Amino acid sequence: MEELRSAERADEPEVTSPAAGGLPAPPPSLDRARSLPHEKVPSVLTRLDMGEVSPTKGFVRSTSLPSEQEQYEECEEGRRRRRTSSVDGVEVARITEERAEETEEGSLSIRVWCAFVRAMGWGVWVVIATNCVSTAGYLLSALWIGHWPELSEQMGTTDALLVYALISFSIVVFTAMRLLVFQYSSLRLSRNMHQKALWAVIRSPMAWHDTTPTGRVVNRFSSDLQKVDTDLQNNVVGLLRSMFDMLASFLVVLFVVPLIFVVVVPTLAAYFWIQKLYRKSGREIQRMASKSYSPIYQGVDEAINGVATIRAYEKQQYFSGRTAARVSRSVRLDLTLQGCQRWLGFRLKMLGACISSMVALLVVLHAYLGPLGRSISGPAAGVALRYAQQLSNALESILNNLTSTEQCLVAVERLTTYSEMPDEGELETQEALSSVEGSVRFENVFMRYRPELPTVLKGLTFSIPGGSSLGVVGRTGAGKSSLLQALFRMCPIESGTIHLYGKDVSGLGLHTLRKALAIIPQDPVGFTGTVRFNLDPFMQNDDTRIWGELEKVQLKAHFEAKAEGLGFMVTAGGENLSVGQRQLLCCARALIRGARILVLDEATASVDFTTDALIQQVLRKEVETQQLTTITIAHRISTILGADRVLVMEEGQAAEFGPTQDLAATPTSKFAALVTAAQAAEKRKKNAI
Ligand SMILES: Nc1ncnc2c1ncn2[C@@H]1O[C@H](COP(=O)(O)OP(=O)(O)OP(=O)(O)O)[C@@H](O)[C@H]1O
Ligand SMILES: [Mg+2]
């Protein structure tokens, strides 16, 4: 990503040159977009490798909307290039994940069927048992009707009717029982699948989140889960029902017309052959169709997040064309699947018609078949014909339901893959952080984000005592934020040790570790909900404390002026607050947690000098009164001049580390050079004004 950003910057002169066919200079809002952390930069800026932006010619304004096919091919071409790209590690990793998804092919593994049966629990067995009983009831009722003349003669019509009514009633009871138990088990299955997959996603390592497009996750939690919620239940109910129906009908027809055996065997072989052909392609098309939704969700998500950039570069047509191409691809797959289903339906109907006509023929011919035949009474012939129809319907329904169940099990398979992902580590351990002093020590720490990526921390070593403050400076990409990733164990370190309160963090539970730390991030995050919820989501503090923290960050007056007070609703992402206010809110949120170690990653980069000074003042007071340990990453040198120590980072290492005043006073130090450069820049700015 970083390479893409630099490539994009390198392109700027040509991009802004209308003579070169490029767009006019982007509006200031775009500069803000560029200054966002790379994971937030709207995707259009990262599209250099996808074909729509030429690295040599800049943006080429399209005069007409490319055809759907062109748009799609463009996307695919971009994807292919990304597959072969080994420059940008992020993309390489993404492709690894995509490939893993593509390898799910062939028949569904027994593991998926087992996962399904396990998740359904005892309900499956109850459903099978009740099915057996109700099928026996159906059989009995058919035979009862088949022998009605003899039975009504022997028992009397009323008694025969009574027995028939009893049989029918028991069928109703067992059918109702079967449906109830099945609904209950299905509900449990959906809930289990959802909870397991959701928990696995929440607990998965950051590397997984970095490399998995949101659209893919949304797809699994929407259309895949919906299949498990509704379609799967209906298909399994239908499958079990039709299997028992088939068995019952076959036995009835066989009982009345034994010669049907000769017809049924080759017909079953034909059924088997047809279903084999269909299931193979149906399953794979279903897999492709399931996957085809992910880029659609992804595209919508990208377009919403990057709407300002898309408008600035006038790429609306490209994005809508791309979405249309993706939708079209998905619809094509759905239509293909439906075509396959029609193909199957036609053949099954033909075979069904074959069975029914053969039964009718055999019923008529039976009397003439010599030793093989016997005369069939009128009611028995009626029963045989009715059940022959049911037999062909049941066979058709088995195949339909089996293939649909398999297609729904593709969704189970996809959700099971999520549930089985490795998590990021234990949450709670015996080890606890009891000391009040938040000392931090890094010893020769090496870290890389993923095995295929280069090392970003290369033997980082420093140590600060509890209750002190550390300022971290360094060029973009020096590894400052990576230091925090390692401290929070967002990304596991390769070697070296990190000690917090004198304890090795690798032995701590993630909850224990993260509770001891509070962060004010570069990109302030507001949650949809009240101010109270934003500050204290777990409702552990009373209003007085919350107002107290708001007062510290000088936001009390702002919210007091609102009629709702702490009940003021913050909209999604905190959009109805200014960036500075959001930053102050995050600051209050961090302070209210009462963690001993406070970390600021460029927390004041997007606020004015006054707000910056205010935040620094608040923090200094907290540090003094509560002996907090603070680690402040800042590009603005003035922000960290008051810190006890300074760490200058270069290429993942500590280039300099020591007391701030000492380093600033050493003319040959890198930090002194940074201070001088910052002062000169400040002077230039003042002169320009
Ligand atoms: N999630 C990630 N996945 C892969 N590589 C990453 C990730 N985050 C950062 N990097 C890489 O790690 C290196 C150090 O990045 P880091 O974010 O730590 O730099 P930084 O010093 O905080 O820069 P800045 O001042 O711009 O915030 C960079 O080369 C970057 O590309
Ligand atoms: Mg950073």
Side-chain angles (χ1 to χ4, degrees):
M1 287 290 173
E2 209 51 53
E3 280 98 328
L4 291 175
R5 279 159 94 198
S6 11
E8 193 262 335
R9 280 187 207 116
D11 254 0
E12 278 170 10
E14 288 186 54
V15 169
T16 53
S17 157
L23 291 171
S29 63
L30 207 60
D31 290 336
R32 227 191 88 208
R34 282 183 183 142
S35 70
L36 293 172
H38 69 267
E39 59 275 17
K40 298 282 175 208
V41 173
S43 54
V44 72
L45 295 182
T46 66
R47 298 283 161 200
L48 278 164
D49 63 334
M50 289 199 53
E52 73 270 36
V53 188
S54 154
T56 50
K57 293 181 194 152
F59 269 88
V60 178
R61 194 199 295 259
S62 63
T63 46
S64 63
L65 177 66
S67 76
E68 207 176 72
Q69 189 56 29
E70 283 166 359
Q71 292 273 0
Y72 177 65
E73 278 164 9
E74 194 182 350
C75 285
E76 287 304 294
E77 176 58 23
R79 275 159 172 254
R80 268 194 293 280
R81 254 184 272 153
R82 292 201 314 172
R83 276 187 194 132
T84 52
S85 150
S86 59
V87 182
D88 188 336
V90 176
E91 299 307 340
V92 171
R94 227 169 238 193
I95 288 141
T96 317
E97 218 268 346
E98 248 174 47
R99 283 217 182 109
E101 208 176 36
E102 281 159 11
T103 51
E104 290 160 11
E105 51 188 43
S107 58
L108 285 163
S109 70
I110 190 80
R111 194 174 50 88
V112 180
W113 284 96
C114 290
F116 168 69
V117 172
R118 251 200 324 273
M120 289 286 286
W122 52 267
V124 175
W125 308 112
V126 175
V127 169
I128 292 176
T130 46
N131 252 318
C132 284
V133 177
S134 51
T135 307
Y138 276 120
L139 267 178
L140 203 60
S141 69
L143 292 177
W144 203 260
I145 294 290
H147 291 86
W148 186 257
E150 304 101 79
L151 289 168
S152 58
E153 208 172 286
Q154 282 170 18
M155 301 173 67
T157 312
T158 322
D159 284 354
L161 264 177
L162 202 66
V163 174
Y164 186 72
L166 269 176
I167 297 170
S168 305
F169 181 69
S170 62
I171 293 173
V172 172
V173 170
F174 279 99
T175 307
M177 199 193 285
R178 186 189 74 219
L179 289 176
L180 277 175
V181 172
F182 197 83
Q183 287 302 323
Y184 171 77
S185 305
S186 308
L187 203 67
R188 223 177 53 164
L189 166 88
S190 303
R191 215 173 20 220
N192 277 353
M193 293 241 119
H194 177 251
Q195 277 171 353
K196 278 190 188 162
L198 184 66
W199 185 237
V201 166
I202 292 172
R203 296 276 290 113
S204 63
M206 286 311 288
W208 183 84
H209 288 280
D210 283 350
T211 51
T212 308
T214 339
R216 198 175 287 172
V217 182
V218 172
N219 186 12
R220 295 209 187 187
F221 281 93
S222 49
S223 77
D224 283 332
L225 203 60
Q226 187 254 333
K227 278 204 187 89
V228 178
D229 281 349
T230 52
D231 302 356
L232 184 62
Q233 301 181 18
N234 297 336
N235 291 324
V236 173
V237 168
L239 179 65
L240 286 172
R241 185 67 255 142
S242 42
M243 276 165 79
F244 281 96
D245 276 355
M246 195 266 298
L247 194 71
S249 323
F250 180 64
L251 289 177
V252 171
V253 176
L254 194 69
F255 183 74
V256 182
V257 193
L259 271 182
I260 195 67
F261 194 73
V262 184
V263 182
V264 167
V265 172
T267 318
L268 280 181
Y271 267 106
F272 183 74
W273 180 68
I274 290 174
Q275 66 86 30
K276 212 173 146 199
L277 280 182
Y278 171 74
R279 276 172 64 199
K280 211 170 177 182
S281 37
R283 194 175 45 228
E284 296 314 321
I285 297 171
Q286 179 60 54
R287 278 196 176 116
M288 287 158 75
S290 297
K291 269 201 273 180
S292 70
Y293 303 130
S294 303
I296 302 174
Y297 294 127
Q298 180 66 19
V300 173
D301 184 53
E302 281 178 349
I304 291 172
N305 285 330
V307 68
T309 317
I310 294 168
R311 285 186 185 164
Y313 281 110
E314 294 179 23
K315 286 300 234 177
Q316 294 96 321
Q317 283 195 334
Y318 172 79
F319 273 83
S320 51
R322 193 181 66 160
T323 304
R326 288 174 176 181
V327 170
S328 164
R329 179 171 189 265
S330 179
V331 169
R332 273 206 296 273
L333 285 165
D334 279 342
L335 284 178
T336 314
L337 194 61
Q338 281 179 26
C340 286
Q341 282 163 355
R342 293 288 85 80
W343 178 95
L344 175 74
F346 176 73
R347 275 149 190 83
L348 294 185
K349 286 266 180 254
M350 293 299 286
L351 284 175
C354 229
I355 292 182
S356 300
S357 359
M358 285 312 291
V359 169
L361 195 68
L362 285 173
V363 164
V364 175
L365 291 180
H366 239 270
Y368 306 100
L369 289 175
L372 285 173
R374 62 183 155 96
S375 75
I376 298 171
S377 68
V383 166
L385 284 172
R386 181 189 170 287
Y387 276 84
Q389 184 59 43
Q390 185 167 315
L391 175 63
S392 54
N393 286 347
L395 280 171
E396 186 184 333
S397 169
I398 285 180
L399 284 200
N400 278 332
N401 284 309
L402 184 65
T403 45
S404 313
T405 305
E406 253 198 350
Q407 284 161 11
C408 292
L409 283 178
V410 169
V412 173
E413 175 188 60
R414 285 159 62 81
L415 284 164
T416 315
T417 328
Y418 270 18
S419 334
E420 290 171 356
M421 286 189 304
D423 62 33
E424 57 172 348
E426 265 187 273
L427 291 180
E428 309 284 355
T429 45
Q430 297 288 331
E431 207 74 66
L433 293 170
S434 50
S435 164
V436 285
E437 276 219 333
S439 64
V440 180
R441 183 155 50 103
F442 273 60
E443 257 174 47
N444 206 21
V445 173
F446 282 80
M447 186 193 93
R448 65 175 87 224
Y449 280 95
R450 289 186 294 282
E452 68 277 13
L453 297 184
T455 324
V456 288
L457 293 184
K458 302 167 187 168
L460 181 65
T461 304
F462 70 88
S463 158
I464 52 167
S468 68
S469 53
L470 172 74
V472 185
V473 286
R475 293 187 56 125
T476 287
K480 303 183 294 295
S481 301
S482 305
L483 177 160
L484 301 188
Q485 298 277 334
L487 182 64
F488 277 82
R489 279 184 56 201
M490 289 291 175
C491 178
I493 57 172
E494 244 176 19
S495 61
T497 50
I498 301 172
H499 285 89
L500 209 71
Y501 300 88
K503 286 201 172 136
D504 189 344
V505 296
S506 62
L508 295 174
L510 290 170
H511 273 173
T512 319
L513 167 69
R514 291 172 189 167
K515 265 186 216 158
L517 302 161
I519 185 165
I520 307 178
Q522 179 169 10
D523 195 26
V525 187
F527 300 106
T528 313
T530 59
V531 173
R532 188 186 288 105
F533 172 77
N534 266 276
L535 288 184
D536 185 24
F538 303 111
M539 291 187 276
Q540 289 162 335
N541 299 284
D542 57 17
D543 284 8
T544 325
R545 171 93 201 271
I546 298 176
W547 280 121
E549 295 302 337
L550 284 175
E551 192 169 14
K552 278 186 201 161
V553 297
Q554 297 195 3
L555 275 182
K556 188 177 177 191
H558 178 78
F559 290 116
E560 260 180 347
K562 309 269 178 205
E564 305 93 327
L566 289 180
F568 176 76
M569 283 300 287
V570 177
T571 51
E575 289 296 324
N576 58 347
L577 296 175
S578 75
V579 181
Q581 284 170 334
R582 252 181 277 159
Q583 200 62 270
L584 292 170
L585 203 67
C586 286
C587 186
R589 179 160 59 208
L591 293 177
I592 213 167
R593 287 191 63 197
R596 312 291 320 152
I597 299 174
L598 188 59
V599 178
L600 292 90
D601 187 1
E602 310 273 12
T604 51
S606 39
V607 297
D608 60 28
F609 277 95
T610 324
T611 318
D612 185 3
L614 168 70
I615 293 177
Q616 298 311 324
Q617 187 196 331
V618 169
L619 294 180
R620 256 196 301 277
K621 214 187 249 175
E622 287 296 307
V623 171
E624 276 163 24
T625 53
Q626 302 198 32
Q627 289 196 320
L628 293 187
T629 307
T630 55
I631 300 178
T632 310
I633 295 177
H635 274 131
R636 246 182 231 162
I637 298 295
S638 59
T639 309
I640 51 127
L641 273 179
D644 299 333
R645 289 174 183 74
V646 161
L647 170 70
V648 182
M649 286 197 68
E650 252 178 33
E651 298 191 356
Q653 286 170 327
E656 271 172 11
F657 175 66
T660 315
Q661 298 312 324
D662 292 1
L663 285 179
T666 313
T668 51
S669 74
K670 292 177 196 288
F671 182 62
L674 284 172
V675 174
T676 317
Q679 282 165 350
E682 191 60 25
K683 211 180 266 175
R684 270 201 306 278
K685 216 171 179 182
K686 272 190 189 145
N687 290 343
I689 293 166

